[in-house]
Amino acid sequence: MTEGPRRLAVIGAGPAGLAACLAAAEHGVRVTLIDAAPSAGGQFYRRPASGLGARRPDALHHRRRAWRRLERGLAAHLEAGTVEHMTDHHVWTVERTGTTGGARPGFTVHALLGPLQERSVAVRADAVLLATGGYEKVLPFPGWTLPGVVTAGGAQAMLKGGLVVPGRRVVVAGSGPLLLPVATGLAAAGAEVAALVESLDPGRLLRGAGALAAAPGKIAEGASYAARLLRHRVPFIPRHAVVEAHGEARLEAVTVAALGPDGRVRPGTGRRIPCDTLAVGHGMVPHTDLAEALGCRADATKVHVDDEQRTDVPGVWAAGETAGIGGVVLSLAEGHIAGRSVAARLRGLAPDPRPAARAVRVRARARSFAAALDTVYAPPAHWAEQVTDETVVCRCEEVTAGRVREAVTGLGAGDVRTVKLLTRAGMGWCQGRMCELAVAGLAGCEQTPVRRLLARPVPLGVLAEAGSEGDREPGSDTADRVPRTGTADRVPRTGTADRTLGAGTADPTHGAGSAP
C-alpha cells in the first residue's frame, strides 16, 4: 500500500510558523497550522478585525512586503488544500504517540476550541514544529497593579488589533528595543506620550557599536524611530527607571528616578510625571512549555536546536522566538530553514543546503545582532531593592514581596520551587509565567525551567473525555470543525465542569508566535 503524504503540525502562525508552513508545503508536506489567534500573523503582523473598518490596516507595521508574501503563499496553499489553518485553537499539550511498530515518530496535538475553550480537538501528525513565540518579562514595583499599568506589548496589541490607545497621557518605560515602536505608534495614534523612560545607559550602545553595525538595516530602523520621537516631541529620559506608580482608583502618575553606574537608584533624583497609562516592559522570554513537556532540552532563554532547527527529540523542530528571542528577521529565516528540513527528513533525506543558503546567512547575522542587543539591554541590576515588602509580586495568589523574602530569610528557601511551596507564589492561573522571574530575583536564586504537563488550563471534562473515549474519525456526527488533513478530533460533551486543571496562560497579549 502506498503511504499518503507526511503530515506536519505547526503550532503558532506568527512569522516563524508561517515561513515554516510555506516551506514545508512547497515540498510536498501536508501542513496543519494551529494558532490561538483569529487570523495569522502573530503579534508582529497583528491586524485589526475587518469589522473595525480600518482604511490602512498595515499602517502600524513595517516589513509589509514580507507579510504580503506570506499572506499570498498561505492563501494559495489553503486553496490547494495542502495547508489547513486552524484558528482560535489553543494547544494544551502534545503527545508522542509513535506509529504501528514504532517505525517513525508520531504526535497528537490537543487544542481547545474558541473563546470558551470547553471542547478539544486532536490533530495527528508525523512531525511537530513549535513556533509558539514569546511573552514579556514583568518586574514588579510599588503600584504596578493599578488599573492603567499595562505591558508595552499589551499597549501595542491594543493599538494594532483594536485601533485603540490605552490612555490619553502615556509613559512608556523599561528597557529594550520594543519601547521605540510602542512609543512612536502611540504618539502617531494621537496619544500624548509624556516620556520614554529607558534604563539603558546610551554609552553601552556606543560600546557595542561594532557588533550592532553588522546589521545596518536595524540601525536605520532605530534611527527612523528616533526621528519620529523627535517629530512628536516625546521626551527621552535615559538611565532612569519607574520606581513607583501612584493613584487611588487608577493610575494618576509615576515616579521615575536616575540610575547610577551600578544600576542602583540614585537618592534624591525622583521626579513625578502625571499620566493615566504606563506601558512598561523589560524584554521578552520564549514560550517553552510545549517543548519542555515533550522532553526537549530548554532553558530560560530558548529551546535548544541544531543547524536544521531540530530539537533533541526526534520529530520535533522549533523556530522563531521559541528558539531564542531575536526579532522578525531571525524568525522568518529560522522558519524557512525548519520547514525545508522537515520536508526532507520526513522523506528520509538530508536537506539540500544550497536553496537555504541565504536563509542560513541571514540567521547567522540576526543571531549575532540579537546577542549584541542582549549584552546592551538588561533590566536594572538592582531592581529588587525598590520593591517594598507590601508590593504584590504574584497577582494570582496575592503573594507580597515581604512573604517571598520571609520564605528565604526566615524559612530557609533557596530556590524558586521551595518559595512556591511556602508562599503559593506561582500556583495560580498563570502558573508562575508572570511572576517567576520576579520571585527568583527577590529570592536571589536562578530561574530554572519548569516542566509542565499542560500548557494552559484545561476543563476537567476535557481531561475526563481524553481518558475515557477514543478519537472520533473525520466525518463523524459532530458540530466541531474537522481539519481536512484527515486528522481526528476529540469532542467532549457540552456542559463540562467549569473547573480547570493545569498550567495557566501567559500574557494574553502575546499569543503563539507573536513576539515583536
Side-chain angles (χ1 to χ4, degrees), residues 321-349:
E321 312 288 34
T322 309
I325 304 301
V328 66
V329 173
L330 178 57
S331 294
L332 290 169
E334 288 184 346
H336 181 79
I337 293 167
R340 293 186 61 87
S341 173
V342 171
R345 294 296 178 182
L346 287 181
R347 297 196 305 271
L349 305 173

Side-chain angles (χ1 to χ4, degrees), residues 50 100 145 196 230-231 279 281 349 376 383 389 395 459 502:
S50 57
T100 304
T145 58
L196 172 56
L230 287 172
R231 187 164 63 247
L349 305 173
V376 170
W383 61 267
D389 283 347
R395 300 180 72 165

Side-chain angles (χ1 to χ4, degrees), residues 292-324:
E292 289 167 2
L294 283 164
C296 303
R297 188 164 70 96
D299 56 37
T301 62
K302 64 184 176 182
V303 174
H304 292 266
V305 294
D306 65 8
D307 289 343
E308 295 179 31
Q309 301 294 136
R310 295 180 295 180
T311 72
D312 57 346
V313 173
V316 180
W317 280 253
E321 312 288 34
T322 309

Side-chain angles (χ1 to χ4, degrees), residues 34-180:
I34 309 167
D35 192 63
S39 60
Q43 170 75 348
F44 190 85
Y45 290 122
R46 184 191 293 264
R47 294 181 301 164
S50 57
L52 294 176
R55 287 173 293 180
R56 294 186 300 150
D58 294 333
L60 295 171
H61 304 82
H62 60 290
R63 301 190 179 277
R64 289 189 286 271
R65 291 182 181 178
W67 164 246
R68 292 189 185 109
R69 286 195 298 269
L70 294 171
E71 190 176 36
R72 288 195 297 268
L74 179 62
H77 283 290
L78 289 173
E79 180 67 25
T82 52
V83 171
E84 171 75 12
H85 184 196
M86 300 172 66
T87 60
D88 284 313
H89 281 64
H90 307 260
V91 175
W92 53 275
T93 195
V94 180
E95 291 183 275
R96 284 195 280 178
T97 53
T99 57
T100 304
R104 66 176 188 267
F107 302 89
T108 301
V109 180
H110 296 275
L112 297 168
L113 282 78
L116 296 180
Q117 300 180 34
E118 291 183 345
R119 294 187 288 180
S120 184
V121 297
V123 177
R124 294 196 182 102
D126 300 297
V128 170
L129 191 146
L130 304 174
T132 46
Y135 57 100
E136 291 186 84
K137 295 178 185 176
V138 177
L139 300 179
F141 50 88
W144 76 293
T145 58
L146 280 170
V149 180
V150 299
T151 63
Q156 186 186 57
M158 293 173 68
L159 185 58
K160 285 184 174 181
L163 300 181
V164 296
V165 292
R168 292 187 176 90
R169 183 175 169 85
V170 185
V171 171
V172 178
S175 183
L178 176 61
L179 302 185
L180 290 171

